[in-house]
């Protein structure tokens, strides 16, 4: 490996602290006081349609560049935000990108799939096999030559440190924060926030992307060296929002999306942030979050997925909002 590449710094996809917006009308609508509810806008990160994965990809793309890889390879659901941002990040740094997406290729390219193609990604559909097993086979046979594998959701111990840094950023912006509410997908975002803010501050809303969000976050914290400080039983995890499964829109999610849009002009997605905000609404209703508690909702992005979800794109009989 050439010496210059070995010392290549991580790329920069996040130019500075993302903004924090007050949401007083939304706070009042869910039973909080003015000033209690703030939205941390990681959805407004500029790369490739925005979202939390951009912070993690600064680390994983840096590793790919230093390894000398020509391709990056990752997996995801058909409307994976991680896959979309991996494709965008690869384009930004001059690497080629292969995405293995679960299931069969859709008849029409919508949402994130449309953007994956626009960013120049090579798409492979796993069919009846798992996306991970297909990616393993492609890597083993050398289909894409020199490859750097990026984990599902971009989450491992190294990339989760991006949200330790984000936690420090948030603490500087909102010193008196009492609760931070975030979706749990592959777990790295919550793990980093817990490492930076403490388990008592972070409420993770499990979206069903992994079999057990609590165990996934706990394993990442252990790999990061924070396991003893934040064991699994200390984590605040809401598993009531999964419903029929990750890919299915729940009534609570639909209501949360409508409420945020109507009260604040704030757009949430049907897989992650809609579920997470539904969890926040329920936490207020149960008394876990109370008026006077300074609460930050971490908006992790995902808007393109709204346009690819069958409940909103006209590809099934589900009623629209």
């Amino acid at each position: 490996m050439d010496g210059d590449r070995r010392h290549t710094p991580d790329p920069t996809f996040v130019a500075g602290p993302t903004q924090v917006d007050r949401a007083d009308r939304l706070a009042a609508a869910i039973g909080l006081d003015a000033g209690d509810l703030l939205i941390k806008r990681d959805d407004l990160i500029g790369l490739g349609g925005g979202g939390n994965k951009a912070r993690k990809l600064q680390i994983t793309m840096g590793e790919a560049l230093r390894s000398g890889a020509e391709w990056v390879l990752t997996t995801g659901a058909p409307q994976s935000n991680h896959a979309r941002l991996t494709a965008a990040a690869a384009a930004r740094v001059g690497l080629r990108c292969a995405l293995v997406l679960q299931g069969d290729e859709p008849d029409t390219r919508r949402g994130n799939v449309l953007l994956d193609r626009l960013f120049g990604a090579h798409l492979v559909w796993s069919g009846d096999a798992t996306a991970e097993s297909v990616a393993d086979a492609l890597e083993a046979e050398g289909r894409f030559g020199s490859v750097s594998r990026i984990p599902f959701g971009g989450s491992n111990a190294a990339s989760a440190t991006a949200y330790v840094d984000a936690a420090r950023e948030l603490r500087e912006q909102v010193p008196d924060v009492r609760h931070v509410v975030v979706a749990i997908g592959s777990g790295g975002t919550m793990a980093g926030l817990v490492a930076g803010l403490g388990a008592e501050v972070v409420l993770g809303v499990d979206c069903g992307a992994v079999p057990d969000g609590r165990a996934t976050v706990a394993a990442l914290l252990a790999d990061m060296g924070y396991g003893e400080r934040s064991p699994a039983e200390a984590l605040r995890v809401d598993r009531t929002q999964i419903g029929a499964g990750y890919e299915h829109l729940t009534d609570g999610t639909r209501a949360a999306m409508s409420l945020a849009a109507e009260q604040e002009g704030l757009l949430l997605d049907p897989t992650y942030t809609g579920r997470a905000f539904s969890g926040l609404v329920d936490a207020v209703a149960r008394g876990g979050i109370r008026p006077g508690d300074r609460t930050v909702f971490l908006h992790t992005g995902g808007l393109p997925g709204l346009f690819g979800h069958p409940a909103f794109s006209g590809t099934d009989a589900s009623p629209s909002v």
Side-chain angles (χ1 to χ4, degrees):
M1 182 189 303
D2 123 3
D4 289 337
R5 177 160 288 201
R6 185 181 300 116
H7 300 291
T8 299
D10 289 340
T12 300
F13 302 141
V14 186
T18 55
Q19 69 193 54
V20 174
D21 295 338
R22 282 179 59 141
D24 288 350
R25 282 176 49 81
L26 195 50
I30 66 174
L32 296 178
D33 294 336
D36 285 352
L37 181 60
L38 304 168
I39 315 295
K40 174 73 166 159
R41 301 300 302 271
D42 276 16
D43 60 314
L44 299 182
I45 292 170
L47 178 73
N52 62 320
K53 306 299 184 181
R55 291 187 189 264
K56 302 175 188 179
L57 282 160
Q58 294 179 130
I59 295 170
T60 51
M61 282 294 170
E63 292 172 342
L65 290 168
R66 288 188 290 275
S67 75
E70 297 174 346
W71 287 77
V72 291
L73 172 65
T74 196
T75 61
Q79 288 295 327
S80 168
N81 298 308
H82 162 66
R84 180 244 310 165
L85 273 169
T86 299
R92 175 76 65 87
V93 302
L95 295 176
R96 301 191 71 185
C97 177
L99 305 175
V100 181
L101 302 180
Q102 189 67 45
D104 298 318
E105 183 173 5
D107 294 333
T108 305
R109 296 171 186 167
R110 292 185 171 93
N112 280 316
V113 175
L114 173 65
L115 296 180
D116 295 339
R117 289 289 194 185
L118 193 60
F119 293 133
H122 178 83
L123 303 190
V124 177
W125 295 88
S126 70
D128 293 333
T130 67
E132 290 296 326
S133 67
V134 171
D136 290 344
L138 292 172
E139 191 172 9
E141 70 185 40
R143 173 77 64 87
F144 299 109
S146 175
V147 168
S148 180
R149 182 79 168 264
I150 295 178
F152 169 74
S155 292
N156 57 23
S159 67
T161 62
Y163 268 89
V164 180
D165 294 338
R168 297 189 188 103
E169 175 183 306
L170 177 55
R171 181 68 81 180
E172 290 179 359
Q173 293 173 309
V174 190
D176 58 345
V177 62
R178 174 65 185 84
H179 308 279
V180 176
V181 180
V182 64
I184 302 174
S186 56
T189 301
M190 181 176 177
L193 291 173
V194 169
L197 296 170
E200 70 283 359
V201 173
V202 184
L203 171 60
V205 180
D206 195 336
C207 298
V210 293
D212 186 337
R214 180 187 298 275
T216 298
V217 172
L220 284 166
L221 283 162
D223 289 345
M224 295 166 70
Y226 290 89
E228 292 184 5
R229 190 185 315 175
S230 301
E233 58 271 18
L235 299 175
R236 298 171 64 193
V237 175
D238 175 1
R239 301 199 78 237
T240 68
Q241 305 299 321
I242 297 172
Y246 172 75
E247 68 275 18
H248 297 285
L249 180 68
T250 69
D251 290 342
T253 298
R254 183 190 299 277
M257 292 173 67
S258 295
L259 187 67
E262 292 169 4
Q263 295 297 319
E264 294 286 349
L266 181 69
L267 293 172
L268 305 177
D269 82 287
T271 303
Y272 295 106
T273 54
R275 275 189 170 96
F277 199 81
S278 180
L280 193 163
V281 172
D282 282 359
V284 174
R286 295 192 310 268
I289 297 176
R290 300 177 180 178
D293 289 351
R294 188 63 66 90
T295 301
V296 174
F297 178 76
L298 179 62
H299 195 322
T300 53
L303 177 61
L306 172 62
F307 303 106
H309 196 284
F312 299 97
S313 62
T315 56
D316 73 359
S318 300
S320 59
V321 167

